[in-house]
C-alpha cells in the first residue's frame, strides 16, 4: 500500500478465453459489492478478441478493460497488429506494454516498449509498463540494476500518475507458483518508487506500482500489504472470477 494511492487489481488473461468465458466471468463479477468497490479498482486485460465483449461487461460492473499490447504506430501496413487507438475504440482504458512474454517471445526492447507507451498515451490510454528481472539476474545480484535500466529505457518522458502504471513482475515468478519474499518485494518496489520520484517528482510519487507473478488468493494479503505495492497484475488466477475476486478481497482486510 501507498497512502493516498487507490489500489488496482488487474487480470491479464494472456492467450486465454473465448466469448463464453467472458460471459461467464461477467456474470460472476457483477456480484462484487459496493464496499469492495470503495477499496480497490478492478481491471481485466483480455485478448484483443474479447476487449469489446469486456467493455460491455464493464458497463454493468465497475470493471475497467485493458489491452495486452499495442503497436507503436497509429496505423499502417502491419498485418496482425493492433494500434492503441483500436484498443481505445474497442472500449479499453489501458494497455499493458513490455510484458516479459512480449520481451522474450517477440524480442521487444526497452526502446520499443517506450514507443508503445507513447502510442498508448496518444490514444488516451493508460500505459501499464512491465519490468522484471530473470532468475539469472536475481542470482547474480543484478535485480535493481536491471529494473533501473528497464524503467529508464521503457518509460517515456512526461509520465503522469493518471496515465502510467508500473508493474513489477519477476520473470521467474510468472506462472511458476514461486514468489519473492515480502522483504524482496518491498526492496524492489521501494527502489521503483524512488526512481519514479527522482524522474517525475510528485507524479512519480503518485504512480501506481503493481506486483505480478503467481499472485493467488492465498498470498494476496501478504503481498498487497507491502509498502509501495499498489495492487496486483494477476495472470492465471484472474481467469476464474472467484479467484480474482478473492484476490481483490485482500483489500477488505488490509484497509479495514
Ligand atoms: O504475467 C503475469 C501477469 O501479467 C503473472 O502471471 P501469473 O499470475 O500466472 O504468474
Amino acid at each position: 500500500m501507498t497512502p493516498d494511492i487507490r489500489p488496482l487489481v488487474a487480470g491479464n488473461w494472456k492467450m486465454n478465453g473465448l466469448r463464453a468465458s467472458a460471459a461467464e466471468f461477467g456474470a460472476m463479477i457483477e456480484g462484487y459489492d459496493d464496499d469492495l468497490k470503495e477499496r480497490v479498482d478492478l481491471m481485466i486485460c483480455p485478448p484483443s478478441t474479447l476487449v469489446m465483449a469486456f467493455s460491455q461487461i464493464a458497463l454493468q460492473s465497475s470493471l475497467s478493460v485493458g489491452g495486452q499490447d499495442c503497436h507503436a504506430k497509429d496505423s499502417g501496413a502491419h498485418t496482425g497488429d493492433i494500434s492503441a487507438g483500436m484498443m481505445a475504440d474497442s472500449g479499453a482504458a489501458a494497455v499493458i506494454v513490455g510484458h516479459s512474454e512480449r520481451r522474450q517471445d517477440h524480442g521487444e526492447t526497452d526502446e520499443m516498449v517506450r514507443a508503445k507507451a507513447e502510442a498508448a498515451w496518444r490514444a488516451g490510454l493508460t500505459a501499464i509498463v512491465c519490468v522484471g528481472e530473470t532468475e539469472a539476474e536475481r542470482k547474480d545480484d543484478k535485480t535493481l540494476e536491471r529494473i533501473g535500466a528497464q524503467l529508464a529505457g521503457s518509460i517515456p518522458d512526461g509520465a503522469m500518475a493518471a496515465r502510467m502504471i508500473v508493474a513489477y513482475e519477476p520473470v521467474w515468478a510468472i506462472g511458476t507458483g514461486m514468489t519473492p519474499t515480502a522483504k524482496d518485494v518491498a526492496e524492489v518496489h521501494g527502489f521503483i518508487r524512488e526512481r519514479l520520484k527522482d524522474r517525475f517528482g510528485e507524479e512519480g510519487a503518485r504512480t501506481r506500482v503493481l506486483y505480478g507473478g503467481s499472485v493467488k488468493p492465498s498470498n494476496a494479503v501478504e503481498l498487497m500489504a507491502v509498502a509501495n505495492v499498489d495492487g496486483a497484475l494477476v495472470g492465471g488466477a484472474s481467469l476464474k472470477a472467484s479467484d480474482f475476486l478473492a484476490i481483490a478481497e485482500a483489500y477488505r482486510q488490509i484497509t479495514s
Side-chain angles (χ1 to χ4, degrees):
M1 298 280 297
T2 310
D4 300 330
I5 295 186
R6 202 177 147 73
L8 168 70
V9 173
N12 173 9
W13 273 27
K14 309 190 179 183
M15 198 171 72
N16 295 292
L18 300 174
R19 284 183 298 164
S21 357
E24 197 183 311
F25 191 93
M28 290 279 297
I29 207 90
E30 267 181 57
Y32 101 99
D33 63 67
D34 289 341
D35 177 63
L36 196 55
K37 280 178 200 166
E38 290 292 314
R39 298 170 192 268
V40 56
D41 290 336
L42 297 185
M43 179 189 286
I44 289 290
C45 303
S48 312
T49 47
L50 295 179
V51 168
M52 279 186 77
F54 264 102
S55 58
Q56 292 301 314
I57 292 166
L59 295 176
Q60 322 296 327
S61 59
S62 302
L63 194 71
S64 66
V65 186
Q68 296 178 11
D69 180 51
C70 65
H71 198 276
K73 298 244 170 71
D74 296 337
S75 62
H78 304 287
T79 303
D81 280 317
I82 292 194
S83 73
M86 290 168 182
M87 283 292 176
D89 187 51
S90 302
V95 63
I96 299 170
V97 293
H99 192 281
S100 61
E101 288 152 14
R102 300 284 321 171
R103 291 178 187 264
Q104 276 173 355
D105 299 353
H106 300 269
E108 293 189 6
T109 61
D110 287 332
E111 200 180 8
M112 288 159 78
V113 174
R114 185 185 188 114
K116 288 178 180 217
E118 282 169 347
W121 292 351
R122 283 197 301 280
L125 298 178
T126 294
I128 304 174
V129 178
C130 301
V131 297
E133 82 286 1
T134 62
E135 190 171 18
E137 286 161 347
R138 176 154 287 269
K139 284 197 174 128
D140 285 356
D141 223 1
K142 295 265 165 55
T143 298
L144 298 185
E145 191 182 312
R146 181 80 189 112
I147 304 292
Q150 286 180 326
L151 292 172
S154 303
I155 301 179
D157 292 333
M160 306 208 324
R163 55 182 192 168
M164 248 295 292
I165 294 172
V166 174
Y168 167 54
E169 299 205 311
V171 178
W172 53 271
I174 294 177
T176 59
M178 293 191 290
T179 53
T181 63
K183 188 165 163 276
D184 288 340
V185 173
E187 183 190 26
V188 176
H189 278 246
F191 172 80
I192 292 173
R193 175 72 61 216
E194 286 313 308
R195 286 291 163 104
L196 291 173
K197 285 204 289 201
D198 285 350
R199 190 158 161 216
F200 305 112
E202 186 52 31
E203 293 294 333
R206 291 193 291 114
T207 295
R208 294 200 265 207
V209 185
L210 311 183
Y211 168 79
S214 296
V215 177
K216 297 190 262 306
S218 57
N219 60 22
V221 171
E222 189 190 4
L223 290 166
M224 298 305 104
V226 172
N228 292 302
V229 174
D230 310 311
L233 186 53
V234 186
S238 71
L239 292 168
K240 243 175 88 185
S242 53
D243 284 350
F244 184 63
L245 284 177
I247 290 168
E249 282 288 338
Y251 281 99
R252 205 171 332 248
Q253 201 169 322
I254 298 168
T255 56
S256 288

